[in-house]
Amino acid sequence: MKKLYSGACHCVAVRFEANVDISAGTWKCNCSICAKVRFWSVDGAPGEVHLLQGADELVDYGFNARNVHHYFCRHCGGRPYQYVDLPAEGRRYYNVNIACLDGVDIDE
């Protein structure tokens, strides 16, 4: 079941909300950048992830095809979420960093 979580980077310069269903499954990306920083995420649909504060504090890191936008806070390096553009499918989806969500029940 989806639940609305608030979240932030470590220094709280970036705040966001995400309406996600953690019980539906999470995953750990194995691309070169995510594997290095241990990015553990849950899928978020467009319109279900909202940046509340800190747009100017986020830096977008992309590599290769640059269709994955790896955001991190310019102050603390926290990685609250990323989004992926799939132009061939005409869609976008979000990966929300579970470690940046407030009040997550780890057993969930």
Side-chain angles (χ1 to χ4, degrees), residues 7-16 18 27-42 49 51 57-63 67-84 94-102:
C9 64
H10 185 259
C11 72
V12 196
V14 176
R15 294 213 43 84
F16 66 99
W27 60 285
K28 295 177 183 175
C29 182
N30 64 355
C31 80
S32 58
I33 184 68
C34 291
K36 292 269 185 192
V37 298
R38 306 286 193 249
F39 191 73
W40 182 17
S41 68
V42 61
V49 178
L51 182 62
E57 310 309 329
L58 287 173
V59 176
D60 180 1
Y61 175 70
F63 58 96
N67 64 327
V68 181
H69 299 269
H70 302 268
Y71 281 108
F72 64 93
C73 173
R74 72 177 66 248
H75 302 286
C76 67
R79 299 184 62 212
Y81 62 85
Q82 63 188 28
Y83 72 85
V84 181
Y94 287 79
N95 298 315
V96 178
N97 188 347
I98 293 168
C100 289
L101 295 175
D102 302 327

